[in-house]
Amino acid sequence: MPVPQLCPSPRELDDLELLLSGAYAPRDRFDDVVTLDAPDGELELVDPEGLPLARRTPDGTLTALSHPSHGPFRRLHLTPAQVRDRYADALTVPVAGPLTSADLEAIDHARGGKPVVLLALTGAGTPQGLTSVGLVRATLAAATVLADAHVVAVPLPSHGDADTDHALGQEVVANYAPGEVVATTGTGDLPDVVAAVVDQDQPAERGVVVFFTGLSGSGKSTLAQALNDLVLESGRRTVTSLDGDVVRRNLSAGLTFSREDRETNIRRIGWVAAEIARHHGIAICSPIAPFDATRQQVRAMVEAAGGEFVLVHVATPLEECERRDRKGLYAKARAGEIPEFTGISSPYEEPADASVRVDTTGRTIEDALADVLDVLPFDLAPTPASGDR
């Protein structure tokens, strides 16, 4: 039988690269700290394009099958052994954010004439105030201010726990460092060459995903469409509507309403929305999205793309949604004609992390939408060209 394949998450792919390169040594496999969300047994781990990267045996042993060859600055992804061989006795500086003028002065003072290795920690969720690519570019710019400074990209990801991340960071830096290690503070002004990279990487207007979730008939699509119209009327931002029903007919045509397919549909919406946010646009999504785990995956995709995620829980009660029943779906679900219908025969997990909770019962669209507008991180004041004449 063929070995089952799994494409790990971005965080897991970063961890896999560090495990195979020796950066996590003596750890050489996934465990309770560096985790892999996968079933037990033999697995072939592949990248998003399906290229086999490693094979995991039932006892957890990892065997490299190939090395990632694509991606920005791939040439700077060196192993600890390569760094120690090329830059013996160098001063090592872990870098998670843009280096300031004060940082560079401190590094130059501490180096004592030695070469400097700047370890840009680019893994998912680690860079501070920059994208992963932006961090490498900013670190390369900082290296031009220092003589004999070399940049190495290390995909050390965040694991969502400060103590764990600190401990793993120390392990990784110790494995890379051929000599002394110096930490930076990130305080003070940025050199002009670094500031220019930061400004380009972090424009004033970040991408935003406004994600409406709620029962069928709750009013989420109506609110989403009203918000979409306001953004268009303002003329300030580009916006894309990802309505649940529209996506079903196009991007997710052929999927059923099983739990697995519903989650696949939400992940597809999330991926598209994250790409829109990556390019500084606004995506307005309005699926039911009943399961918390899938909503969390969407949030993670958006934040990894550098976007802001605004979760709107349209919390109209089931009784009101069923009373409205414009499409007759609740009546069919009660009659057993629609299996796994959210709110009737399938659960809706209310979000505990919503930016705002809106009950549309007895309210006008404008009144309910005002609750949403209060939490949006962008301005909807119309431009002069879009106002009344």
Side-chain angles (χ1 to χ4, degrees):
M1 291 180 59
V3 176
Q5 288 190 331
L6 173 74
C7 179
S9 68
R11 190 270 300 166
E12 291 166 341
L13 284 170
D14 288 339
D15 281 335
L16 176 63
E17 182 171 341
L18 297 182
L19 288 168
L20 295 176
S21 72
Y24 276 149
R27 180 184 286 106
D28 61 0
R29 65 193 65 196
F30 290 102
D31 55 23
D32 292 338
V33 177
V34 179
T35 60
L36 178 69
D37 185 9
D40 294 334
E42 190 167 13
L43 271 180
E44 192 170 80
L45 304 176
V46 302
D47 72 6
E49 295 181 353
L51 175 69
L53 297 174
R55 179 164 292 189
R56 188 200 67 180
T57 60
D59 68 356
T61 301
L62 292 171
T63 302
L65 300 178
S66 62
H67 299 286
S69 57
H70 300 294
F73 301 114
R74 176 50 57 181
R75 64 188 180 279
L76 300 180
H77 285 239
L78 305 180
T79 68
Q82 289 172 320
V83 170
R84 288 172 174 271
D85 182 59
R86 294 185 190 184
Y87 309 117
D89 298 324
L91 177 73
T92 301
V93 182
V95 182
L99 292 169
T100 65
S101 296
D103 289 333
L104 295 176
E105 290 177 8
I107 293 168
D108 204 36
H109 177 74
R111 67 190 303 176
K114 297 177 181 179
V116 174
V117 172
L118 302 174
L119 291 182
L121 306 178
T122 62
T126 294
Q128 300 168 7
L130 287 169
T131 64
S132 294
V133 173
L135 178 62
V136 178
R137 294 182 61 242
T139 308
L140 286 168
T144 65
V145 180
L146 296 167
D148 198 13
H150 311 275
V151 178
V152 175
V154 181
L156 175 67
S158 171
H159 296 78
D161 179 83
D163 291 338
T164 298
D165 289 340
H166 179 70
L168 290 175
Q170 287 188 316
E171 289 179 18
V172 169
V173 172
N175 282 320
Y176 270 96
E180 184 184 358
V181 177
V182 169
T184 58
T185 65
T187 59
D189 296 328
L190 300 176
D192 289 344
V193 290
V194 176
V197 173
V198 173
D199 288 344
Q200 186 180 47
D201 185 71
Q202 297 292 311
E205 294 184 332
R206 293 174 63 192
V208 180
V209 174
V210 185
F211 195 94
F212 291 83
T213 174
L215 297 173
S216 177
S218 61
K220 62 188 178 301
S221 293
T222 301
L223 289 176
Q225 187 57 60
L227 176 59
N228 185 74
D229 292 346
L230 280 182
V231 177
L232 290 173
E233 289 176 8
S234 75
R236 291 183 176 275
R237 303 288 297 269
T238 59
V239 61
T240 301
S241 174
L242 296 171
D243 178 77
D245 291 332
V246 175
V247 170
R248 274 275 177 185
R249 288 194 295 272
N250 295 280
L251 183 64
S252 294
L255 292 182
T256 69
F257 286 90
S258 69
R259 174 162 183 160
E260 181 180 0
D261 279 2
R262 280 186 288 170
E263 290 181 293
T264 296
N265 180 52
I266 301 306
R267 284 192 291 269
R268 289 180 182 179
I269 291 173
W271 186 86
V272 173
E275 290 304 301
I276 292 168
R278 187 188 306 277
H279 298 285
H280 313 296
I282 295 172
I284 300 175
C285 314
S286 52
I288 293 174
F291 305 118
D292 179 68
T294 319
R295 294 192 299 260
Q296 295 299 334
Q297 289 174 352
V298 173
R299 180 188 289 276
M301 283 189 274
V302 172
E303 293 176 349
E308 296 186 66
F309 186 77
V310 179
L311 182 63
V312 180
H313 178 202
V314 185
T316 307
L318 173 62
E319 295 76 13
E320 176 64 15
C321 296
E322 194 165 1
R323 186 193 66 78
R324 295 171 182 176
D325 204 14
R326 292 174 51 196
K327 302 176 184 178
L329 299 177
Y330 282 99
K332 292 180 179 179
R334 291 290 186 188
E337 298 175 22
I338 303 177
E340 296 190 78
F341 189 82
T342 301
I344 303 298
S345 52
S346 183
Y348 177 82
E349 299 172 357
E350 293 198 1
D353 59 342
S355 303
V356 64
R357 185 177 183 273
V358 184
D359 182 350
T360 64
T361 306
R363 303 175 70 182
T364 65
I365 296 172
E366 292 76 15
D367 181 47
L369 186 60
D371 293 349
V372 179
L373 299 182
D374 285 343
V375 300
L376 295 182
F378 53 84
D379 184 14
L380 283 178
T383 62
S386 62
D388 293 335
R389 297 185 181 181

